[in-house]
Structures are given as C-alpha cells and as structure tokens.
Amino acid sequence: MTKQKVMVAEAKTGMDMAMTVVPKALFTAEMKKPPLMPGGYITISKKKLLQNLEINGEKRINAWVESMRASSPTSHRKSDVSLSQELTSWMDRHPSALNVFDEITNASKGKQIVMFLDYDGTLSPIVDDPDQAYMSDAMRTTVRKLAGCFPTAIVSGRCRDKVYNFVKLAELYYAGSHGMDIKGPSKGSKYKKNPPSVLCQPASEFLPMIDEKWSELAAQVRSVLKDYPKLRLSQGRKVLEIRPTIKWDKGKALEFLLESLGYANCTDVFPIYIGDDRTDEDAFKVLRERGQGFGILVSKIPKDTNASYSLQEPSEVMDFLQRLVEWKRHQQSRRF
C-alpha cells in the first residue's frame, strides 16, 4: 500500500483549505452516450474530423497510450491495442476542441461567448509543489487578449488571493475556493457593469470557525471532522478538501457569474468552461443541463466526464484560446 504524506497549505484568507496527499489510482473511463451539444445544434463533420485524426491522431493516441501505460498498475496494464481502441472510442465522444474548432465557433455565432478557466492543469502545468505552479508569460499574454475579447473568469480551488498572485491580470473575474469567494475586475474590463468589488462570499460566516480550528484539522483531519457537522470532506486530485456543508461548487460559481454579467436567462450567451479536475465536472454538468455552451476537459488520458470536448495539456489550451482571439478579431474586422 502506498504510504501517504500529508502537507498543509498556509491559508492567508482562511478560505484555502487544501491538504495534499498522494492520489489513489486514476479511475478508468466509462463509455457513455455522447453528451448533448450546445442547444443540440452542433454537428461535427465526420470527414473533417477523420482528416484531422489522420494528421494528428496517431501522434495524439501514441502519447495518450504512453500516459495510460505509465499510470496503470503493472498487474492491470492493458495491451497497446486495447488502449488505442479505448482512446479512439473516447475521442469519438470527446473530440479535440482544436480539431473541431470551426464547428465550435459556428455554433457560437450571434451569441456572447463567456470564458471560464480553471488554473492548475489548465493555465499552468501540474507540479509537485503547488507554490511553483506558475503560468508562462505567453499564457498570461494570451489570457489578457482573451479578456479583451470576451468576459473571462478564473475559477479555482485555490483561495482567490493566491490564484490572483499567479495570474496577475486585473481585468478578470476571480472565483477562488471553488467559487466561495468571487471578485470582479478591478480595472480594464469593458464587460464590468459597476458591480461591487467582492461579488460573493457564501461561506464567509464559517471563516472564524475555520481560523480557530485550522491547525487541529490539519493534524487530525477525519477524526476532527466527526465533531464538526458543518464541515465535509471531499477528494480532488492530490488533495483532501475541507468545505462547509453549503451547497456551493464551481457549477454554482459559473451560474452566479453569468447572472452578475446579466446573462442569467439569456438565450444568446455561449459559456465555455475549460478545466482538468474532478471539481470542474460540476461546471461541465451545469452547461449540459442549460443546453448552452460546452465544457472542455484537459486530460492526457480518457476520463468519465460531462465535458463535450477535450484538450491534452495547457499548451493546447493556449493554442485554443489564441485561435478564439484570432477568430473574434476577424469577426470584428468584417463588420467595418
């Protein structure tokens, strides 16, 4: 059995409560019926998709096979043929957002795109030390340009202050602690409609209790939680997270931000959420249920997901965002 090591992240605001542990084995993908496309109108061109797969598919599948082989226990490893078949099947259900970019933008025409981005594993690579998860200068430049074209929010499990210190872009919305602490742009956003600086802190009443019990929680975790029915334990990638028993997650944060932007009941909004973690599934699910926009899962291996599309890693996320910016600017230039 793998020996687990627990580390406690320092919490400046009291909202960041991540405890890092060595993760359990990655779960396998369960083949499901393809998710509903936004509004039911997107049709992926099979011919074009096959052409893209012929050009890029072999390299992509080989990389995914290596990732799956490396992450699988030796006694349960599958053959390369089996892995390749599983990957191909998964990609049919969750095609690369880069390969079907035209279909995506066609579905968004006439609608206001709103961007939601996770941080770790999406804008920055996953690293052993969470305090070293820096985004590249190129990614920061891309996100700044993105925010100039579309309302853009960072939705992260990190506390808001910490994720802001990584991104350092004042023109974005920031939803920290899985959306429990949301703040609007402080400058430079043409989409900000004069909301208050701090938009939402639904768990603020729990802060004194969290501050008082933090060291004890870090030392005892589960045993202490039995005495605190207002706290619950949830597991993400490499973390045990202690949250108040409030019904709030990244999906709720997405809905709150859309409402703050004036798009709560609009039919002409097109939200795009890009994330890589299990906690992002709440946002993917909301988009499917709304029938608007779509989710993009960032992953090198197949996973059971509510996302419609996939990207492999942050470098592909940056490529996708850059193409969105170029597409938007081209659309604007055609109007003049």
Side-chain angles (χ1 to χ4, degrees):
M1 182 175 178
T2 304
K3 192 172 183 180
Q4 294 189 341
K5 182 187 297 183
V6 177
M7 295 189 303
V8 183
E10 180 182 357
K12 293 183 179 179
T13 65
M15 299 298 291
D16 188 12
M17 302 182 291
M19 297 182 186
T20 306
V21 302
V22 177
K24 296 182 179 179
L26 293 173
F27 52 87
T28 57
E30 176 185 351
M31 296 299 105
K32 286 188 173 183
K33 185 177 179 181
L36 293 174
M37 296 300 109
Y41 295 115
I42 287 186
T43 302
I44 298 172
S45 168
K46 184 174 181 181
K47 181 178 179 181
K48 185 169 183 179
L49 179 58
L50 289 175
Q51 289 175 343
N52 283 323
L53 289 176
E54 287 176 2
I55 298 172
N56 303 313
E58 183 177 355
K59 181 178 179 181
R60 185 181 181 90
I61 288 176
N62 287 341
W64 275 7
V65 167
E66 290 302 319
S67 296
M68 290 186 69
R69 184 190 292 114
S71 64
S72 300
T74 304
S75 58
H76 298 290
R77 285 181 181 172
K78 300 179 182 180
S79 67
D80 285 356
V81 173
S82 177
L83 290 174
S84 180
Q85 291 174 341
E86 183 177 351
L87 288 166
T88 300
S89 179
W90 192 85
M91 288 177 65
D92 286 342
R93 291 163 170 77
H94 310 284
S96 167
L98 291 172
N99 289 345
V100 295
F101 184 82
D102 290 343
E103 282 83 355
I104 291 172
T105 52
N106 285 339
S108 70
K109 286 182 178 178
K111 301 178 181 180
Q112 174 63 63
I113 291 177
V114 182
M115 297 299 304
F116 298 89
L117 307 168
D118 185 24
Y119 183 75
D120 294 274
T122 299
L123 299 182
S124 72
I126 296 297
V127 294
D128 293 333
D129 182 357
D131 290 333
Q132 302 299 314
Y134 300 111
M135 66 190 300
S136 67
D137 290 338
M139 180 67 87
R140 182 175 292 102
T141 298
T142 298
V143 175
R144 179 183 287 113
K145 292 178 180 178
L146 185 76
C149 295
F150 315 103
T152 302
I154 307 295
V155 186
S156 174
R158 292 178 181 265
C159 75
R160 177 171 52 79
D161 288 344
K162 283 190 175 181
V163 74
Y164 178 82
N165 287 336
F166 277 118
V167 179
K168 297 178 180 178
L169 295 175
E171 55 265 50
L172 307 182
Y173 285 80
Y174 289 88
S177 300
H178 303 281
M180 291 189 185
D181 187 10
I182 302 176
K183 186 175 182 179
S186 57
K187 66 176 184 179
S189 175
K190 62 183 178 182
Y191 301 102
K192 181 180 178 183
K193 300 177 180 178
N194 299 316
S197 179
V198 176
L199 298 179
C200 180
Q201 289 184 328
S204 58
E205 64 182 282
F206 294 90
L207 288 177
M209 183 267 292
I210 291 171
D211 289 337
E212 178 184 352
K213 295 301 177 177
W214 177 246
S215 61
E216 188 177 0
L217 290 172
Q220 300 186 35
V221 190
R222 296 182 186 277
S223 62
V224 174
L225 286 180
K226 295 178 182 178
D227 299 325
Y228 296 91
K230 290 186 177 182
L231 295 178
R232 64 183 175 89
L233 188 68
S234 61
Q235 186 171 349
R237 186 204 293 112
K238 296 185 179 182
V239 295
L240 291 175
E241 295 172 322
I242 302 167
R243 307 186 198 175
T245 53
I246 183 174
K247 188 174 177 57
W248 199 267
D249 51 40
K250 290 185 177 181
K252 294 289 186 183
L254 183 152
E255 292 179 316
F256 178 87
L257 284 165
L258 286 176
E259 182 177 356
S260 298
L261 287 162
Y263 299 125
N265 300 309
C266 294
T267 58
D268 60 349
V269 63
F270 198 84
I272 300 176
Y273 189 107
I274 307 178
D276 72 311
D277 194 77
R278 192 177 71 177
T279 59
D280 297 308
E281 290 297 325
D282 295 313
F284 296 154
K285 184 178 179 181
V286 165
L287 293 182
R288 288 191 62 188
E289 291 174 347
R290 288 175 63 99
Q292 292 177 308
F294 56 83
I296 300 176
L297 176 68
V298 184
S299 176
K300 288 188 175 182
I301 61 173
K303 293 180 180 180
D304 185 21
T305 181
N306 286 300
S308 301
Y309 304 103
S310 65
L311 293 168
Q312 263 201 313
E313 56 193 1
S315 63
E316 288 196 355
V317 173
M318 186 167 69
D319 288 346
F320 178 80
L321 299 182
Q322 288 174 341
R323 290 183 66 178
L324 268 182
V325 170
E326 292 170 2
W327 171 81
K328 179 65 174 181
R329 289 177 174 176
H330 178 68
Q331 292 295 112
Q332 292 174 332
S333 67
R334 292 176 60 183
R335 295 175 185 173
F336 299 99

